[in-house]
Amino acid sequence: MEEEKVDINQVSMEVILNAGDGRGCMDKAMEAVARFDFEGADEYVKQAEQKLLAAHRAQTSMIQRQAAGEDVEYSILFVHAQDTLMTIAAELHTLKGMLPVLRALDDRIARLESK
């Protein structure tokens, strides 16, 4: 049984599109934070995580194929896709680290205003 050859450019675009959609969700999360809507922000962060997971799975499938000995062609588009995913994943990590700080500041401001 012959394995189906995977189109690396199609996989690359899947990574790029999902990562980009994840960044869009992160932008919406920050817009929600600007309105002090932390529940909305949390929902957008969850959506971003799902998009990045889909991008990561697509990337990992190519890496696993190559690690298993399949001849995978070199693609500058795939390199770009990996770079895009890594950058957006780092941005998500930063956003998730900032959210507790922003919540704490909002709580502190609310306490000061209530005095």
Side-chain angles (χ1 to χ4, degrees), residues 3-4 6 18-20 27 29 44-46 51 53 68-69 74 86 88 97 101 111:
E3 283 190 38
E4 180 182 332
V6 176
N18 277 300
D27 289 342
Y44 286 121
V45 166
K46 286 179 189 173
K51 291 294 184 178
L53 181 59
Y74 174 81
M86 180 183 68
I88 295 171
V101 174
R111 282 195 314 269

Side-chain angles (χ1 to χ4, degrees), residues 1-113:
M1 185 168 96
E2 190 175 312
E3 283 190 38
E4 180 182 332
K5 184 157 174 76
V6 176
D7 181 351
I8 194 162
N9 291 323
Q10 182 178 347
V11 174
S12 299
M13 290 308 299
E14 183 180 348
V15 172
I16 292 166
L17 291 172
N18 277 300
D21 287 347
R23 180 179 273 159
C25 294
M26 292 161 46
D27 289 342
K28 290 179 182 178
M30 287 304 296
E31 290 168 9
V33 167
R35 296 186 308 273
F36 302 100
D37 175 12
F38 292 104
E39 288 181 16
D42 288 340
E43 184 56 39
Y44 286 121
V45 166
K46 286 179 189 173
Q47 291 174 21
E49 289 172 330
Q50 290 303 310
K51 291 294 184 178
L52 291 183
L53 181 59
H56 179 72
R57 284 182 176 151
Q59 171 194 253
T60 300
S61 72
M62 291 305 300
I63 293 169
Q64 288 174 336
R65 284 174 166 269
Q66 189 170 28
E70 186 176 325
D71 185 29
V72 176
E73 67 181 287
Y74 174 81
S75 166
I76 192 70
L77 186 60
F78 189 65
V79 172
H80 171 65
Q82 291 180 298
D83 182 53
T84 299
L85 176 56
M86 180 183 68
T87 300
I88 295 171
E91 291 172 2
L92 179 60
H93 179 78
T94 301
L95 173 59
K96 288 170 69 175
M98 288 174 49
L99 283 174
V101 174
L102 296 170
R103 277 188 177 91
L105 287 171
D106 184 47
D107 289 343
R108 186 167 191 161
I109 290 167
R111 282 195 314 269
L112 291 172
E113 288 175 349

